[in-house]
Amino acid sequence: MSRARRSSGDGLDALLAAREMVIVAGSGGVGKTTVSASLATAAAVELGGRVLVITVDPARRLADALGVGALGNTPTQVDPELLAAASGRAPEGELWAAMLDTKAGWDELIARHAPDPELRETVLANPLYRNLTSRFVHSHDYLAMEQLHELHGSGRYDLIVVDTPPSRNALALIDAPRRMREFFGSRLLKWLTTPYRSKVFSAASRPFTQIADRILGSHFVEDIAEFFTLFQTMEPTFVRHADEVEALLGDLRTAFVVVTTLEAAPVHEAIHLSTELTRRDYPLAAIVTNRALPKSYTGRAAATSARRLGAEAADESSAMVATVAERLEADAEQVAAVLTETAERFGEIALIATREAERRSELSELAPLLVTAPPLEHDVNDLSDLLELARHLRSPAR
Ligand SMILES: Nc1ncnc2c1ncn2[C@@H]1O[C@H](COP(=O)(O)OP(=O)(O)O)[C@@H](O)[C@H]1O
Ligand SMILES: [Mg+2]
């Protein structure tokens, strides 16, 4: 840990100050990347310490928002002067950003785990390795875990905020360590790693290897056996890391934040995800409802105003319409049409806001904290936008 963070405030601030890792999950397009970057930026500016935001969902937007063009596996510091300019103050801490690159990730992983340089080179040069690492089921999730292990274990960061792929995948991310252990214990791996010669010449597997050779090239089976035999020698380290990551994710150093908008489908996903996290005993700390309509739209007063406005606009002798038209130097009929439309649309929006409020209250049952951000007028593209969003997320007034 480089520096202590300020542990003032409550809500999300308390979370950002106390936890070492915040994992942001939710459906696609709800604002996970934006919220992750926003929370990390605010934490770096206000709470201090060294804060890293890492995305496992390679969205260019995060890179753009953080002003770092080509993010890779290696964390890059966001220019402190840019951070100061965007926040209008001297930041308390540092902001770092990284993005997961699957291919480079595997190579680094092998390099890290290979017991000796010769083995490392053999694995890296293996054609099957090159082929498999791009297709290995859940390899992306496993790598994310492995990278978290590495970055968290380095002790270089006080807080790591992790953006994730869409929600079902977020569970896959959590399951990755277990799946890795299972893979090493699997019969498939045992079969693959039985000595090549005996397998090729055994009567049972001959048809398979012959077909495989014909379709995939004569070295396929040899490559596969070699690859997995090498891979297996790295089992103890892989499995130890998987165990450690699993422990880290499950204890109070970590907090899960589920992000959702208030449309039906993302809310459904958020409920599924939150319920699953809790059922599996992972520390779900907060749900963020993003791009939510203001609660005030749902009030009786607003509905009454809209209804009266509609009635006035429909009244041909309305003094109000005449006054507005005069004020705007516009045609009274046009003004009446605009006001009628506005009143009707408000009714529709209020209905949506009412539905949103119901969904919010359903979500509030699932996590200790529910915070809401409104739709900003513009896309969230730069550090100032991120800080603007963070002000909403961190504001205690709910
Ligand atoms: N509160 C908000 N107000 C306005 N635009 C937002 C807000 N939250 C997110 N966005 C925009 O929505 C889009 C999707 O957000 P993003 O964070 O990439 O979603 P995800 O990572 O969940 O797929 C982006 O263009 C982002 O700028
Ligand atoms: Mg994203």
Side-chain angles (χ1 to χ4, degrees), residues 32-34 55 57 59 163-164:
K32 290 179 302 299
T33 304
T34 312
T55 177
D57 163 7
D163 175 29
T164 65

Side-chain angles (χ1 to χ4, degrees), residues 137-149:
V137 194
H138 300 299
S139 73
H140 204 264
D141 299 316
Y142 186 73
L143 281 171
M145 289 291 100
E146 183 62 30
Q147 195 179 24
L148 285 187
H149 180 273

Side-chain angles (χ1 to χ4, degrees), residues 1-82:
M1 297 295 132
S2 55
R3 259 177 288 165
R5 282 167 288 162
R6 298 192 164 179
S7 58
S8 63
D10 51 14
L12 275 183
D13 272 8
L15 204 72
L16 294 170
R19 308 295 173 102
E20 295 172 18
M21 199 146 81
V22 170
I23 306 213
V24 179
S27 292
V30 296
K32 290 179 302 299
T33 304
T34 312
V35 167
S36 309
S38 173
L39 293 178
T41 309
V45 170
E46 306 279 343
L47 306 175
R50 203 179 272 179
V51 182
L52 170 68
V53 58
I54 171 172
T55 177
V56 292
D57 163 7
R60 294 301 324 160
R61 191 160 293 280
L62 178 67
D64 296 342
L66 298 173
V68 261
L71 282 180
N73 272 348
T74 313
T76 314
Q77 187 177 1
V78 174
D79 184 348
E81 294 198 358
L82 286 178

Side-chain angles (χ1 to χ4, degrees), residues 39-378:
L39 293 178
T41 309
V45 170
E46 306 279 343
L47 306 175
R50 203 179 272 179
V51 182
L52 170 68
V53 58
I54 171 172
T55 177
V56 292
D57 163 7
R60 294 301 324 160
R61 191 160 293 280
L62 178 67
D64 296 342
L66 298 173
V68 261
L71 282 180
N73 272 348
T74 313
T76 314
Q77 187 177 1
V78 174
D79 184 348
E81 294 198 358
L82 286 178
L83 202 55
S87 58
R89 53 165 293 181
E92 295 285 333
E94 299 173 3
L95 179 62
W96 292 69
M99 189 145 81
L100 188 76
D101 166 359
T102 314
K103 188 62 213 67
W106 269 105
D107 291 355
E108 281 170 20
L109 191 63
I110 297 297
R112 214 158 43 232
H113 292 319
D116 59 69
E118 200 184 330
L119 179 60
R120 182 187 65 215
E121 290 314 311
T122 318
V123 175
L124 292 179
N126 185 299
L128 189 75
Y129 162 78
R130 308 228 63 88
N131 204 314
L132 264 187
T133 45
S134 55
R135 290 193 234 160
F136 196 120
V137 194
H138 300 299
S139 73
H140 204 264
D141 299 316
Y142 186 73
L143 281 171
M145 289 291 100
E146 183 62 30
Q147 195 179 24
L148 285 187
H149 180 273
E150 168 77 4
L151 290 169
H152 179 267
S154 75
R156 267 176 282 142
Y157 305 98
D158 299 282
L159 171 67
I160 302 179
V161 182
V162 187
D163 175 29
T164 65
S167 74
R168 307 259 166 200
N169 289 333
L171 292 173
L173 197 81
I174 292 163
D175 287 337
R178 180 177 53 77
R179 213 174 272 119
M180 200 63 179
R181 278 196 304 266
E182 282 171 6
F183 173 71
F184 276 113
S186 70
R187 285 171 55 194
L188 172 67
L189 187 63
K190 293 215 173 67
W191 184 83
L192 287 168
T193 54
T194 46
Y196 171 65
R197 293 281 149 210
S198 65
K199 191 165 59 195
V200 170
F201 294 110
S202 83
S205 55
R206 193 171 305 135
F208 168 73
T209 52
Q210 279 171 357
I211 291 166
D213 275 4
R214 207 175 319 131
I215 298 171
L216 302 161
S218 59
H219 289 295
F220 180 79
V221 180
E222 204 168 348
D223 286 344
I224 212 170
E226 183 194 52
F227 171 70
F228 282 106
T229 304
L230 295 173
F231 199 67
Q232 208 174 27
T233 62
M234 302 181 203
E235 171 176 356
T237 327
F238 273 118
V239 169
R240 183 166 51 80
H241 283 192
D243 291 344
E244 285 170 11
V245 169
E246 204 166 47
L248 173 64
L249 287 181
D251 72 30
L252 286 173
R253 290 172 290 174
T254 302
F256 283 82
V257 172
V258 170
V259 182
T260 186
T261 54
L262 287 162
E263 284 114 359
V267 167
H268 190 78
E269 280 294 298
I271 291 172
H272 164 76
L273 187 54
S274 305
T275 313
E276 254 333 89
L277 286 170
T278 305
R279 190 179 68 77
R280 297 174 189 208
D281 257 347
Y282 283 97
L284 172 64
I287 296 178
V288 171
T289 56
N290 191 22
R291 314 181 93 150
L293 290 170
K295 232 181 179 170
S296 59
Y297 285 13
T298 64
R300 269 178 85 89
T304 307
S305 301
R307 192 164 36 75
R308 287 188 186 156
L309 179 65
E312 277 282 340
D315 178 358
E316 276 172 25
S317 61
S318 162
M320 185 196 82
V321 172
T323 311
V324 174
E326 201 182 318
R327 237 346 239 284
L328 302 177
E329 294 174 15
D331 176 58
E333 225 170 280
Q334 289 292 336
V335 168
V338 169
L339 291 176
T340 305
E341 187 68 16
T342 308
E344 273 173 23
R345 292 270 174 241
F346 184 84
E348 288 163 22
I349 293 171
L351 190 64
I352 298 170
T354 306
R355 229 169 259 145
E356 288 195 354
E358 286 164 11
R359 292 182 182 137
R360 273 189 87 235
S361 88
E362 193 178 350
L363 288 167
S364 70
E365 307 281 309
L366 302 176
L369 181 67
L370 184 79
V371 297
T372 297
L376 301 186
E377 307 261 306
H378 44 78

